């Protein structure tokens, strides 16, 4: 097998991603209002280990050390999110100056090291005060989101070259439709209504951004794509199932954003299942306002089969030995709820980049805004290090397929590992560690893992070896359990 060497361009943004509720802590300090996750976490049984986001990584107090650490690793861009309730404790109205000051200090620190900020306005943490008024089921929340967005654009507009309106709109569905995220409703009509509103909020964010006329900054959205493949491509039942799941997940966002409409099959499905959201005629025009970049979160694919037993058999066969993935069978899996953790399929990122181009005609710059893998029993070994070989293999595998796509012409401008450090993984609490840096949550001590050192080295050399056999894997091989390793 021959190998070629790929060199990432000089200006390629190697980064790390984080979010406010998962790292900041200081949940009740300096005038911050509660977010929905603060309240939800107090519900017995809601979070796997019973923890809350009150302290997490204590980034609010330790941001200087953490940004210094990011700089030491060579990180060129830092993806973070604003905490809405730190800035507007009631979600609207009274502004908390101390909240704004924190982000100003944080941005100063990033500037000091020449690290490019990449900001998300909304990473799932609605102010509880707005949830009390119906949250994402209430159309007014879109307007309040718009006010919050304008405030941030005015405060920090051109200091931040990349702004994302929303991170992974599907999380709203999971909260209102499936009940495993906050606010814990399991109602399909609620889920679809909340999703429609969050899409509308995205459009409103874009409109507000344009209104401010911010020079040299760009606006986009971050969507996660988990493409569903049929286990048996020749079986109509499997194909139908995978198609429906693609409709209900990423297509329900990408179609409105890029084509200004829900797809016919999805509309039909919502009609038949009595979950059609209330919409207004002008909504789709707003949702599809042109954006400047696309943020792609990609972790894996999903394989569907109408025959459950067969699927289970395939899963145990295809469980990767080389990459020690976490088994998420208990359901409390945190952010990546679509992943059962069994398969390692780095080609997923290549496939999704193709979906964007071929199905949505996307010619925008793409940033891989998240990619990473959890460990559940990681610890510091006797030699003081954390040997997370599986994470290195995972990241390297995905980067190879990103490189391959770039080699073939894809306009991918950056890649962000989820995450700089272990943090609070939603309903999985602290049981799922995604960091390049290990965090001891009792002492707040940070220890860079082997993967962090590996990433540092990669950023320094900017090269990766690609092998020729990357072309040979295709969907048909799913059936034999031969994913690309
Ligand atoms: C997501 C979220 C992150 C998660 C990460 C790991 O993609 O689900 O953006 O907040 O923590 O993905 O699950």
């Amino acid at each position: 097998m021959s190998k070629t060497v790929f060199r990432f361009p000089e200006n390629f943004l190697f980064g790390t991603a984080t979010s406010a509720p998962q790292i900041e802590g200081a949940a009740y300090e300096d005038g911050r209002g509660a977010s929905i996750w603060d309240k939800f976490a107090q519900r017995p049984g809601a979070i796997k280990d019973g923890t809350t986001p009150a302290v997490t990584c204590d980034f609010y107090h330790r941001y200087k050390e953490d940004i210094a650490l990011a700089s030491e690793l060579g990180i060129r861009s830092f993806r973070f999110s604003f905490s809405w309730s730190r800035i507007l404790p009631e979600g609207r109205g009274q502004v908390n100056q101390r909240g704004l000051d924190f982000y100003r200090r944080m941005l100063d620190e990033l500037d000091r090291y020449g690290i490019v900020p990449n900001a998300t306005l909304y990473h799932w943490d609605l102010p509880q005060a707005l949830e009390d008024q119906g949250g994402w089921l209430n159309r007014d929340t879109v307007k309040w989101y718009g006010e919050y967005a304008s405030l941030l654009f005015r405060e920090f507009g051109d200091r931040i070259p990349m702004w994302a309106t929303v991170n992974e709109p599907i999380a709203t569905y999971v909260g209102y439709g499936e009940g495993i995220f906050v606010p814990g409703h399991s109602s399909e009509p609620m889920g679809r209504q909340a999703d429609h509103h969050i899409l509308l909020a995205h459009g409103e964010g874009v409109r507000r951004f344009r209104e401010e006329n911010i020079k040299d900054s760009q606006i986009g959205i971050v969507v996660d794509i988990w493409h569903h493949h049929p286990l048996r491509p020749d079986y109509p039942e499997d194909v139908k199932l995978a198609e429906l799941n693609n409709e209900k997940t990423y297509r329900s966002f990408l179609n409105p954003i890029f084509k200004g409409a829900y797809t016919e099959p999805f509309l039909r499905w919502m009609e038949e299942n009595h979950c059609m959201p209330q919409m207004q005629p002008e909504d789709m025009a707003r949702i599809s306002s042109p954006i400047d970049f696309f943020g792609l979160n990609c972790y894996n694919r999903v394989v569907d089969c109408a025959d459950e037993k067969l699927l289970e058999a395939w899963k145990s066969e295809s469980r990767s030995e080389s990459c020690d993935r976490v088994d998420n069978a208990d359901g409390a899996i945190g952010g990546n709820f679509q992943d059962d953790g069994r398969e390692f399929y780095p080609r997923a990122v290549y496939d999704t980049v193709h979906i964007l181009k071929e199905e949505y005609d996307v010619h925008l710059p793409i940033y891989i805004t998240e990619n990473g893998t959890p460990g559940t029993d990681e610890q510091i070994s006797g030699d003081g290090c954390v040997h997370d070989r599986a994470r290195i293999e995972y990241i390297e595998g995905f980067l190879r397929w990103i490189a391959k796509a770039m080699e073939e012409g894809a306009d991918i401008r950056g890649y962000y590992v989820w995450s700089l450090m272990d943090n609070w993984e939603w309903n999985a609490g602290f049981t799922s560690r995604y960091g390049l840096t290990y965090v001891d949550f009792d002492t707040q001590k940070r220890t860079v893992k082997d993967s962090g050192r590996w990433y540092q080295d990669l950023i320094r050399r900017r090269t990766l070896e690609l092998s020729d056999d990357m072309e040979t894997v295709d969907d048909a091989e799913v059936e034999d359990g031969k994913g690309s390793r």
Side-chain angles (χ1 to χ4, degrees), residues 372-388:
T373 191
T376 47
D377 51 9
E378 281 178 358
Q379 31 187 294
I380 303 186
S381 17
D383 58 4
C385 303
V386 180
H387 300 299
D388 55 342

Side-chain angles (χ1 to χ4, degrees), residues 18-19 22 79 123-124 167-168 171 181 222 224 226 297 299 333-337 370 372 374 418-419 423-426 432 434:
T18 53
S19 83
Q22 294 178 273
R79 180 167 179 249
H123 199 122
W124 313 358
N167 175 74
E168 299 194 3
F181 280 1
V222 172
D224 52 326
W226 300 73
N297 286 0
Y299 288 88
I333 66 173
N336 289 334
F337 53 87
E370 279 179 35
W418 183 274
S419 180
N423 55 50
W424 193 72
E425 182 56 28
W426 311 110
S432 204
Y434 276 85

Side-chain angles (χ1 to χ4, degrees), residues 194-205:
D195 259 5
H196 182 73
H197 285 154
I198 196 125
L199 277 173
L200 203 52
H202 155 72
E204 178 65 6

Side-chain angles (χ1 to χ4, degrees), residues 66-97:
D66 289 335
I67 291 171
L69 179 72
S71 164
E72 185 197 321
L73 295 182
I75 301 309
R76 304 217 21 217
S77 183
F78 185 81
R79 180 167 179 249
F80 69 100
S81 76
F82 286 99
S83 156
W84 185 341
S85 62
R86 192 178 293 291
I87 290 163
L88 294 157
E90 295 296 314
R92 58 194 175 118
Q94 190 66 42
V95 177
N96 178 27
Q97 188 55 44

Side-chain angles (χ1 to χ4, degrees), residues 225-229 246 250-251 300-302 352 355 359:
I225 302 184
W226 300 73
H227 185 66
H228 288 249
H229 297 242
N246 286 326
Y250 71 86
R251 284 186 201 152
N300 212 343
R301 67 168 175 183
V302 186
T352 44
I355 289 173
E359 289 181 29

